[in-house]
Amino acid sequence: MAFTRRNVWAKNGDFDDPVLYWYARGVRVLRARTISEPTSWEFLAALHGFDPVIWHVEGFLTLGEKLPPYWVQSLYWKQCQHGSWYFLPWHRGHLLSFETIVREAIKQEMIEDEKKGIKVNYHWTDWALPYWNPADPKDDYRATQIPPAFTNEYMPDGSENPLYIKQRDGDLVTLPQEIAKGTPGAKQKYELIQRNLLSLKQALTQPSFIGTSNSSTGFGGLKTSFSHDPVAFGQIESNPHNNIHGLVGGLMGDGVTAGLDPLFWSHHANIDRLWEVWLKSDPEHKNPYKKEPLPDTPENKADNHTIKLLNQAQEQWLDGPGERGFMVPLTSGQVWEFKPKDVVNTLALKVDYQYDLSYQYDDISNPLKDIPTTPAGTKSELLGASTTSTGLKEANRTSIEIPIGEPATGEGVKYSSEHRFFLHLVNITSNKDGRIINVFVNLPKGASGYDYPDLYAGSISFFGVRQASAGGGLGVTEVFEITDILARLRFGGWEGTKNLKVTFIPLNEDNPADDMNVEQVLLYRETCAVK
């Protein structure tokens, strides 16, 4: 039997929906357990990230509270994979652990209700983790809002709502209120967020799962080892994943506290769903897999050597990082050690005779079905690089120019359908998470980004950047494809435009990220085969 994960807005997003009502009941059970219990709310959140000081400040850890033994913490905690090709499979296993533990808690709550003579008109086997899809094109205004089941302070019976968290302060929380008040510019900003920060185009049109270090980071990310601190983000992780963390803000805006917000789990269920959307949207979209060698003949020797090298890379993803496996708890307290190859098929997730975690989604249709997949690239070259770093120092914007040199081909930097162009923002550092910086290409001096939406390249969402910058760390790298922008600009490069200007503007200009620094900005061109 496969459980079905449904949209949080399927029945108005409130507690009239039994999925959300029982989600709250299950979460309440988990939150009543101590942090040392592997099936507790705090323990499961710590799998994603943990910082005792921050948790204490936020009210989720008391002084002197007994923590699990160190060996338990090292086995489970702070495992989340970010800036890595393991980002999607690790979070899938994390969700499965959480989902089955909540479902068991719901089952026990129903049994207790029946003992009290309370009739239950719902069965625990019908429950699966609901997903929140802010970029739903079928419901573009309501979908972007946080459902009332997560924003109401109280349950229908007057008890405290365990899905409500007061530590949310991002634009998806504040803007609907500002729009209702008629605040000038609020609706315009909200539309910019919907159009740009929640766009699925760069992710869903990626031709390959694994990226290349010199151009695209792919749908799923770049090849890495175990990667708890991010380096370079895959496209699905950059947007919408990181952007939504920043747009919710509060606990969700920082990797070490994100798992403490119940919205985290529904957000990640949607990211997991988009993985399935990407796979089903094009026959060429595939997870890493092993390719069968050709018949062992002299004429196939060179091709088989290539296949062997390809399979070695694929196996490194399928088998996970060698230095440690991915560990999550199940309801019985047993450890489930899984590898990416164990979770690629959502309909075949039988761990053992006791646990069948198989699931599906109620909707994996492609919202961008009329936009073709971008052709895969075969060759990449550097066209230009900034010569200085740039940052925001108590200012509401900053710009940097990339001098464009003559490419090795000698053909000039002229847009054509045979090329893809990528902007690399290298070594982005900051001592704070939770902010968002919009990036524009060749924006006129002093112009508002609202007036030039076609020049928007992407957003830097400061999720995990603080950790990656700590102790002299190099920070993170963001990669945005700007092929469409250069086509609209009729970009000429060596034959015309000698510089490419990149402008950084905080989403909230009244609160600039004055400690943000970008070490270098690069422009790459990738040759691709036109379909």
Side-chain angles (χ1 to χ4, degrees):
M1 175 187 134
F3 300 99
T4 300
R5 294 179 180 173
R6 295 182 171 86
N7 194 314
V8 291
W9 286 106
K11 295 184 179 179
N12 296 319
D14 57 27
F15 289 124
D16 287 339
D17 186 344
V19 172
L20 293 171
Y21 172 79
W22 287 105
Y23 183 28
R25 290 281 299 270
V27 167
R28 178 179 290 161
V29 173
L30 270 60
R31 292 183 71 167
R33 296 169 180 166
T34 66
I35 192 172
S36 58
E37 297 177 76
T39 58
S40 71
W41 180 256
E42 284 81 6
F43 190 100
L44 292 167
L47 267 66
H48 192 270
F50 177 72
D51 184 306
V53 175
I54 296 177
W55 278 40
H56 172 67
V57 170
E58 296 293 352
F60 288 90
L61 189 67
T62 59
L63 291 175
E65 186 172 356
K66 185 179 179 181
L67 298 177
Y70 178 74
W71 70 268
V72 174
Q73 294 184 42
S74 62
L75 184 69
Y76 287 117
W77 286 8
K78 298 192 288 188
Q79 283 195 65
C80 68
Q81 300 296 288
H82 284 282
S84 165
W85 63 348
Y86 297 127
F87 165 72
L88 286 168
W90 184 88
H91 283 83
R92 176 168 285 179
H94 191 208
L95 286 178
L96 287 166
S97 167
F98 175 78
E99 183 176 52
T100 193
I101 289 170
V102 172
R103 187 182 291 119
E104 179 64 24
I106 290 171
K107 176 183 176 182
Q108 297 306 318
E109 285 287 279
M110 289 182 174
I111 291 173
E112 291 301 314
D113 279 4
E114 294 282 3
K115 286 180 180 179
K116 296 174 183 176
I118 302 172
K119 185 172 178 59
V120 177
N121 297 315
Y122 186 75
H123 200 272
W124 61 270
T125 55
D126 293 329
W127 188 87
L129 184 63
Y131 64 88
W132 176 45
N133 176 23
D136 188 347
K138 298 187 292 294
D139 191 4
D140 62 351
Y141 180 74
R142 187 179 70 166
T144 314
Q145 298 181 60
I146 299 174
F150 295 87
T151 58
N152 291 335
E153 293 188 44
Y154 301 99
M155 296 279 286
D157 63 359
S159 61
E160 292 186 359
N161 177 12
L163 301 184
Y164 168 75
I165 293 290
K166 65 180 180 180
Q167 298 100 321
R168 297 180 188 135
D169 55 10
D171 286 288
L172 293 188
V173 178
T174 60
L175 274 178
Q177 301 167 8
E178 295 301 316
I179 292 172
K181 294 177 185 176
T183 303
K187 191 171 187 297
Q188 186 182 32
K189 185 177 181 181
Y190 203 69
E191 290 170 350
L192 176 122
I193 288 172
Q194 290 178 304
R195 180 178 59 247
N196 292 340
L197 278 79
L198 297 178
S199 171
L200 299 175
K201 182 179 178 182
Q202 290 215 21
L204 294 185
T205 59
Q206 289 299 311
S208 59
F209 185 95
I210 305 172
T212 59
S213 59
N214 285 342
S215 50
S216 169
T217 54
F219 177 79
L222 296 173
K223 176 182 173 182
T224 66
S225 57
F226 188 91
S227 179
H228 179 58
D229 293 326
V231 181
F233 299 110
Q235 292 303 307
I236 189 65
E237 185 174 7
S238 177
N239 183 24
H241 171 265
N242 288 357
N243 286 351
I244 291 173
H245 272 282
L247 289 167
V248 173
L251 298 178
M252 278 277 281
D254 191 317
V256 302
T257 58
L260 293 167
D261 188 334
L263 200 60
F264 166 89
W265 305 94
S266 289
H267 164 48
H268 268 279
N270 187 55
I271 299 301
D272 183 80
R273 185 187 69 88
L274 290 173
W275 184 6
E276 293 299 298
V277 172
W278 180 78
L279 285 170
K280 299 296 188 295
S281 65
D282 190 311
E284 298 298 316
H285 292 179
K286 294 181 175 66
N287 292 320
Y289 69 98
K290 289 180 65 176
K291 189 173 183 178
E292 291 297 322
L294 300 171
D296 188 13
T297 61
E299 57 268 24
N300 289 335
K301 184 175 181 180
D303 287 339
N304 277 334
H305 179 68
T306 301
I307 291 172
K308 180 180 179 181
L309 295 177
L310 172 70
N311 285 346
Q312 287 175 351
Q314 311 298 299
E315 287 174 352
Q316 290 174 15
W317 185 86
L318 291 165
D319 292 334
E323 56 266 45
R324 64 176 295 180
F326 297 142
M327 312 281 192
V328 294
L330 295 175
T331 59
S332 63
Q334 78 177 79
V335 179
W336 178 33
E337 180 177 1
F338 69 93
K339 300 176 180 179
K341 66 183 178 183
D342 298 325
V343 297
V344 290
N345 185 352
T346 69
L347 296 175
L349 289 167
K350 194 175 180 69
V351 176
D352 54 29
Y353 74 94
Q354 184 179 0
Y355 292 103
D356 187 347
L357 309 180
S358 303
Y359 68 94
Q360 59 191 348
Y361 288 99
D362 64 347
D363 182 6
I364 54 171
S365 59
N366 181 9
L368 305 178
K369 61 183 178 181
D370 296 327
I371 301 178
T373 294
T374 305
T378 57
K379 178 185 175 185
S380 178
E381 62 180 323
L382 179 65
L383 300 183
S386 62
T387 56
T388 62
S389 63
T390 188
L392 288 168
K393 303 297 181 184
E394 299 180 356
N396 64 2
R397 70 169 58 200
T398 186
S399 296
I400 192 169
E401 291 196 346
I402 305 174
I404 304 300
E406 184 175 14
T409 59
E411 298 172 354
V413 189
K414 200 170 184 179
Y415 171 78
S416 82
S417 58
E418 297 177 356
H419 297 124
R420 299 172 69 191
F421 294 86
F422 297 89
L423 202 62
H424 281 229
L425 312 178
V426 181
N427 296 353
I428 305 166
T429 56
S430 175
N431 60 21
K432 298 177 185 176
D433 271 347
R435 281 85 53 79
I436 296 176
I437 308 294
N438 292 330
V439 182
F440 296 87
V441 173
N442 280 18
L443 187 71
K445 185 177 180 180
S448 167
Y450 298 117
D451 298 329
Y452 293 88
D454 289 346
L455 300 183
Y456 169 83
S459 294
I460 307 169
S461 288
F462 286 60
F463 184 73
V465 178
R466 177 181 62 81
Q467 291 172 273
S469 307
L474 296 177
V476 302
T477 292
E478 284 277 15
V479 178
F480 304 133
E481 181 167 1
I482 59 170
T483 305
D484 290 347
I485 298 177
L486 298 191
R488 283 190 290 267
L489 291 173
R490 302 180 65 83
F491 185 71
W494 184 257
E495 298 175 353
T497 307
K498 296 296 193 300
N499 295 295
L500 194 72
K501 186 175 74 169
V502 180
T503 300
F504 303 85
I505 304 177
L507 178 62
N508 294 310
E509 295 189 55
D510 294 334
N511 184 28
D514 55 8
D515 63 320
M516 185 273 287
N517 191 75
V518 180
E519 185 173 313
Q520 195 173 34
V521 182
L522 311 172
L523 178 66
Y524 281 94
R525 183 175 76 173
E526 183 178 270
T527 302
C528 54
V530 180
K531 289 186 178 182

